[in-house]
Amino acid sequence: MTSRVEETGSTFDESHPPGGGKQVRRLDRVVIRFAGDSGDGMQLTGDRFTSETAGFGNDLSTLPNFPAEIRAPAGTLPGVSSFQLHFADHDILTPGDAPDVLVAMNPAALKANLGDLPRGAEIIVNTDEFTKRALAKVGWSADPLDDGTLAEFRVHPVALTTLTVEALKTTSLARKDAERAKNMFALGLLSWMYHRPTEGTEGFLRSKFARKPEIAEANVLAFRAGWNYGETTESFAVSYEVAPAAKAFAPGRYRNISGNLALAYGLIAASRQSGLSLFLGSYPITPASDILHELSKHKNFGVRTFQAEDEIAGIGAALGAAFGGALGVTTTSGPGVALKSETIGLAVSLELPLLVVDIQRGGPSTGLPTKTEQADLLQAMFGRNGEAPVPIVAPASPGECFGMALEAARIALAYRTPVFLLSDGYLANGSEPWRVPEVSELPDLRVEFATEPNAPDGSDGFWPYLRDPETLARPWAVPGTPGLEHRIGGIEKQDGTGNISYDPANHDHMVRTRQAKIDGITVPDLVVDDPSGDAKLLVLGWGSTFGPIAAGVRRARAAGGKVAQAHLRYLNPFPANLGDLLGRYDRVLVPEMNLGQLAMLLRARYLVDARSFTQVSGMPFKAQQLAAVISEALGGN
Amino acid sequence: MATELTLTAKDFKSDQEVRWCPGCGDYAILAAVQGFLPELGIARENIVFVSGIGCSSRFPYYLNTYGMHSIHGRAPAIATGLASSRPDLSVWVITGDGDALSIGGNHLIHALRRNVNLKILLFNNRIYGLTKGQYSPTSEPGKITKSTPMGSLDEPFRPLSLALGAEASFVARTIDSDRKHLTSVLRAAAEHQGTALVEIYQNCNIFNDGAFEVLKDPETRDAALLRLEHGQPYTVDGVEHLHDVTDPDPTRAFALSRMSEPTPIGVLRAVARPTYDSQLNAQLDQAVTERGAGDLSTLLSGSDTWMVR
C-alpha cells in the first residue's frame, strides 16, 4: 500500500521538447470517458485504449456503462453508451469519480455526460453530428458549442466524421462504411494525446477484421489519421505523459483482465486443479453471459458448456453432472437465481458440490440489466425454503474473480455443498491489470471419490451420508463405482444410511448438521488495514465496493483521519475473527450498494451497532462521496 | 463388459420397503423393469434412474442401481447433465403425467428435441395421485375432481403427439398390466440411441380407478387396442398400412398418436438421429485435435502481457 492520495487533482510538470515542437505535460493520472451512440463502438474504443494503457504499464481501472437496449434510437439520451478509464503512474483503486476528458461523439453523448464534468475538463466533440436535428433530439434549441454552455470547459471541436471520410478517400469504401471508422479516428487522436503505444491496436484491427482486409485497412488508416491529426493540427497544442506505474505492482507478468474473464479462467483452473471435468449449465442473461461465451471456447480443456432451455435446466444439468463426478457450475444473475432456488435447495439436501455464480445487477425483477448492484446477498444467504445454508464468497476486484472461483470450488469440493459466488456488473465488465499466476502457485483441489463400502456394521453396504468427522462432508460416490449403488433425493434422509426418514429427531439432527457443516468451513481470517493502529472507526465492505471504499479511506487518512478498513470476501461463514474485530472499534460503517444487507447480518449475528451507508443507483460509489461519509463518521475531523 | 453378467431381477431390488398403495399399477411396472434390466447386460453401477416428484418418482428408491429422486418436473434436465458428461452410463428418467407434462413440460420437450441419450418412462394415470386426486394435463375434459367439482375445463395433452411435435426420435406406448408388451417396448427403448419416450398407461386405483380398463379387459381389449409391430400391417378405417417406425416422415406416427378408438400401443417412431451427448463429446475431441489439449499457463497469459521487474 502506498500512502498516496488518490483523485485529489492531477499534478503535472511541463516540458517543451527541443526544436519548438508541441508542449508535453506530465500527469500522474487521467480519467477519460468515451461516449457515443450504442452503435458507435465506444466499448471497443475504450477496450483498445485500455489495452494500450495496460501494455504501457500504467495502473488502471475501467467502468463500461451502456444501456440494456442493443441499439436504442440513434442520437437519443437513452442510447448513449460510455466507457470510462482511469490510468495513473501509481496504484489506483477506482475508475475515477469524474472524467478529466470527455470524448463526445454526438450531442446526446455530450448532454448525458456534461453533468459529470468538473470545471476545466477537456471536451473533444465530433462537430459533424451537431446538426439542428440532432440538437433538437436532445432538447437543445441552440448549439451548446456556440452559446456559452461549455464556457467553463476546454473544448476541442473536431469534425471527426468528415476527417475520417477524408482519410479513407483512397479506399473503395462507401461513405457510410467509412463513417463507421470514426471511433478509430478518435482513438488515434487520444492515443497521440496520451502517448499510447499504437502497434497493439493496429495488430488487433488486422486480426479482428482478418476476413475483411479492406475494413481492417480502413480502420487502421482512420486510427493513424487520428494520431496524425493530433500531431499536426494547431487545435491540440499539448500532449500528456503518464509514466508507467513502476512501484504499484509486485514483480511478475501482467495482463489486463475483466471480472468475467477472470472468473471463467478461475473455473477452468479449478477444473484442472481438481482433476474434474468442468460442466457449465447456463441460460443467457446479462451480465453473466460472457462467462458462458468464454467457457464455450475452451472445449480443448475438457469443458462442457450446455446452453439450457431455461435457468432451472441450467442448474439442473450442472447438478446432474456433479452427481456424475464433474465440477458442476451454473452462471446467472439475480432473476436467474430466483428460478434456481429450488435446485440449490436440492443440492443442499443431496450434499453435492455445485458452484452458483451470480453476477448481480439492479433489481428487483428485470430491474437494471446492465447496471451494477449488490442486493442479492440476502437472496444468496436465505432465498430458499427450509433451513438451507449455502456458503458465499465475493471477489473484491475484477482480477480477484479468478482466485475466488478457485476458493468457491475448494469449499464446494471439500464440504460437498453448493457455493454462491457473488460478483456484479461492475466487476464483470470492469478491468484492471492482473498478475498472471504460475500454475504451480495454484491450490491443489484434488478430491477422492468413494470407492469402497463403508457401512459401519462391517457389511458390504454403502452409507451415502456417513460423514467425515472433521468436515461433516459425506462421501462422493459416482455412478460407475461397483458396490456403491445408492439413491439420494430431496426427501429427508436418515443421517448415515441415507434412507428416507420422517423421524422428527432425525430431521432436527439433519437440519443442525447441515448448518454445522457450513458454519465449520475454514475461511481465512479478516485482515484489517489500520496504519495508525488506534483508529476508532472501522469501514467494512464486501464485493465490488472495495475500490471506492479504499479510495475514500485514503482521502480521509490524507486529511488526518484515523480510520481502519477491512473487506469481507467470505460472507458465509464469516471469518472466525470477525466478531472480535468488530468489538474493537467504537463505530462500524458499512457502505453497500443495497439497503443495508450486510449491516443487517452483522447486527443480527454480532449485536454490533453497524451503520449503513447505502446507494442503489446502478452505479458504483465515488471516492469523494465515501470520503465525505467517512469524514462525517469521524466526527467531521 | 469383460465378464459375462449373470444378474437376475433380484439383483435390482433395493432393500427399501415399497410404499405405493396396494393395487397400484406402479408395482407391475417396477416388477417388469426389475425383470427386464438383467437382459440389458449392463452392470448395476452403470445404470442410473433419475426421477422428479410424484408417486411414480419414488421408483429409483426401489431399484438397486444409482438413483436420484429430484425436483418436480426437473428430472429430464438433471439427467441431461448426467448423460452428457457421462456417456458411459445408461440413464433412465421416471416421470408421471403431472411431472412431465405440467410442471416439467419445458424440460421434456427440450430433452426430446436435443436427443440426449435418455430413456424416459412416463407413467400416465391421468390424475394427480400424490396430492390426492386433482385433474392432470392428461385428464379427460369435464373431469370431476377435488379441484374441479364442476368439471375440468382444459383440453388434455396427447403425450405422444406432443413428443412427436417436439421432434422426438423414439416414441412408444404400453400398458402397466401387459408385462410382455411392456418389456418388449422397454427393450426397444433401451436399444434406441437418443431420447426415448415411453408412455405407460398406469392405473391409479385410488383416485382414477379403471381409467384404462377397456384396454385391459379380455372382453374389450382386442377391439380397443391397435397393436403396432414394425414391418407388420395395420388397418385403420378399412385401409391397410405397413407400419414402419423408421419412416423419416412423422405424419403417420402423428396420425397414430391422435387415435383413441382403437388405441395404438407399441413403438410409433424410432428414427436414427445423432445424439446430443455424442456430438457434445465429439466437439471436445475435435477441439483437442485441432488445438491440442488445453494448456492452463498459456491460457492465463493470453497474448498481451507485460513484465514488471
Side-chain angles (χ1 to χ4, degrees), chain A residues 27-46:
Chain A
L27 301 176
D28 63 344
R29 56 172 212 91
V30 180
V31 179
I32 298 177
R33 186 183 293 177
F34 296 93
D37 247 348
S38 301
D40 277 345
M42 291 298 96
Q43 301 306 319
L44 175 71
T45 309

Side-chain angles (χ1 to χ4, degrees), chain B:
Chain B
M1 295 302 127
T3 52
E4 188 79 6
L5 285 166
T6 50
L7 297 169
T8 65
K10 198 161 166 278
D11 293 308
F12 285 95
K13 286 179 181 153
S14 77
D15 60 356
Q16 299 298 296
E17 180 195 357
V18 183
R19 292 187 192 163
W20 288 308
C21 307
C24 176
D26 289 352
Y27 283 98
I29 304 173
L30 179 62
V33 169
Q34 285 167 337
F36 161 73
L37 286 175
E39 105 176 37
L40 273 180
I42 299 175
R44 281 189 313 210
E45 65 268 21
N46 292 324
I47 301 174
V48 186
F49 278 79
V50 182
S51 64
I53 295 291
C55 294
S56 60
S57 287
R58 299 296 180 94
F59 206 88
Y61 288 119
Y62 309 136
L63 287 170
N64 194 9
T65 64
Y66 282 89
M68 188 197 293
H69 177 216
S70 73
I71 302 176
H72 205 15
R74 315 303 171 203
I78 291 168
T80 292
L82 179 62
S84 302
S85 55
R86 290 290 306 274
D88 55 317
L89 301 174
S90 172
V91 183
W92 297 68
V93 169
I94 304 293
T95 184
D97 40 319
D99 192 59
L101 300 170
S102 199
I103 196 165
N106 199 33
H107 307 306
L108 178 73
I109 57 175
H110 288 278
L112 292 170
R113 79 174 166 88
R114 281 192 193 101
N115 207 30
V116 188
N117 205 8
L118 301 175
K119 314 304 156 205
I120 302 175
L121 309 185
L122 194 169
F123 297 13
N124 182 5
N125 56 17
R126 295 189 170 160
I127 200 77
Y128 280 79
L130 200 58
T131 51
K132 301 191 177 177
Q134 300 82 10
Y135 78 109
S136 91
T138 53
S139 295
E140 59 278 17
K143 184 93 172 166
I144 306 284
T145 72
K146 275 182 193 152
S147 61
T148 51
M150 296 173 71
S152 64
L153 304 174
D154 315 18
E155 178 71 15
F157 271 135
R158 290 170 173 83
L160 301 189
S161 300
L162 183 77
L164 289 164
E167 305 296 339
S169 61
F170 181 100
V171 167
R173 179 187 288 138
T174 184
I175 300 175
D176 57 2
S177 55
D178 187 344
R179 179 152 176 180
K180 196 174 157 210
H181 189 265
L182 175 52
T183 303
S184 75
V185 168
L186 291 176
R187 189 177 300 128
E191 282 167 5
H192 179 72
Q193 288 300 305
T195 311
L197 181 81
V198 179
E199 179 186 28
I200 305 174
Y201 282 159
Q202 174 247 324
N203 191 43
C204 173
N205 58 323
I206 304 297
F207 295 108
N208 201 21
D209 196 23
F212 306 105
E213 197 48 36
V214 70
L215 307 178
K216 299 179 175 190
D217 185 338
E219 300 284 308
T220 55
R221 69 184 177 201
D222 287 342
L225 289 175
L226 177 64
R227 291 177 178 274
L228 299 169
E229 294 278 350
H230 176 60
Q232 298 297 315
Y234 63 91
T235 305
V236 176
D237 294 336
V239 182
E240 194 178 275
H241 304 272
L242 185 70
H243 187 48
D244 178 9
V245 297
T246 67
D247 186 354
D249 180 352
T251 308
R252 289 300 316 160
F254 191 76
L256 288 166
S257 75
R258 306 277 303 172
M259 285 173 57
S260 54
E261 292 175 6
T263 298
I265 59 168
V267 179
L268 276 71
R269 179 171 168 82
V271 295
R273 181 148 65 83
T275 67
Y276 180 86
D277 42 293
S278 62
Q279 293 182 97
L280 173 66
N281 292 305
Q283 283 191 344
L284 266 55
D285 294 340
Q286 185 192 344
V288 171
T289 306
E290 288 175 2
R291 287 180 276 153
D295 179 73
L296 189 56
S297 181
T298 307
L299 176 75
L300 299 184
S301 294
S303 55
D304 220 355
T305 61
W306 66 95
M307 292 300 294
V308 173
R309 289 176 211 283

Side-chain angles (χ1 to χ4, degrees), chain A residues 6-7 93-94 374 396 426 529 538-557 563-568 589-593 598 613 620-627 630:
Chain A
E6 189 184 343
E7 293 145 355
L93 297 157
T94 75
Q374 48 182 182
Y426 174 55
D529 172 45
L538 173 69
V539 185
L540 181 65
W542 70 278
S544 77
T545 53
F546 174 77
I549 291 176
V553 165
R554 279 188 190 179
R555 286 190 184 199
R557 285 178 187 160
V563 49
Q565 188 201 352
H567 208 74
L568 286 165
L589 175 67
V590 185
E592 289 181 86
M593 295 189 293
L598 172 62
F613 177 72
F621 285 118
K622 292 183 173 178
Q624 178 56 42
Q625 178 188 20
L626 291 178
I630 292 164

Side-chain angles (χ1 to χ4, degrees), chain A residues 301-321:
Chain A
F301 282 83
V303 175
R304 290 178 179 84
T305 54
F306 171 64
Q307 182 178 317
E309 59 270 23
D310 60 26
E311 295 279 0
I312 298 170
I315 188 173
L319 184 60

Side-chain angles (χ1 to χ4, degrees), chain A residues 286-298:
Chain A
T286 304
S289 304
D290 281 341
I291 304 172
L292 167 63
H293 304 160
E294 185 62 34
L295 288 176
S296 68
K297 291 183 204 163
H298 301 294

Side-chain angles (χ1 to χ4, degrees), chain A residues 1 120-121 154 318 341 576 579 635:
Chain A
M1 279 270 170
R154 288 181 285 159
S341 299

Side-chain angles (χ1 to χ4, degrees), chain A residues 37 74-76 104-111 125-146 158-162 175 179 182:
Chain A
D37 247 348
T76 63
M105 301 299 282
N106 65 11
L110 178 62
K111 189 162 192 185
V125 283
N126 180 10
T127 53
D128 287 326
E129 297 293 326
F130 279 64
T131 62
K132 234 186 185 135
R133 192 154 165 265
L135 291 168
K137 238 184 214 177
V138 297
W140 264 329
S141 51
D143 190 342
L145 302 179
D146 304 329
V158 181
L160 277 170
T161 313
T162 310
R175 186 184 164 90
E179 283 181 4
K182 63 181 183 289

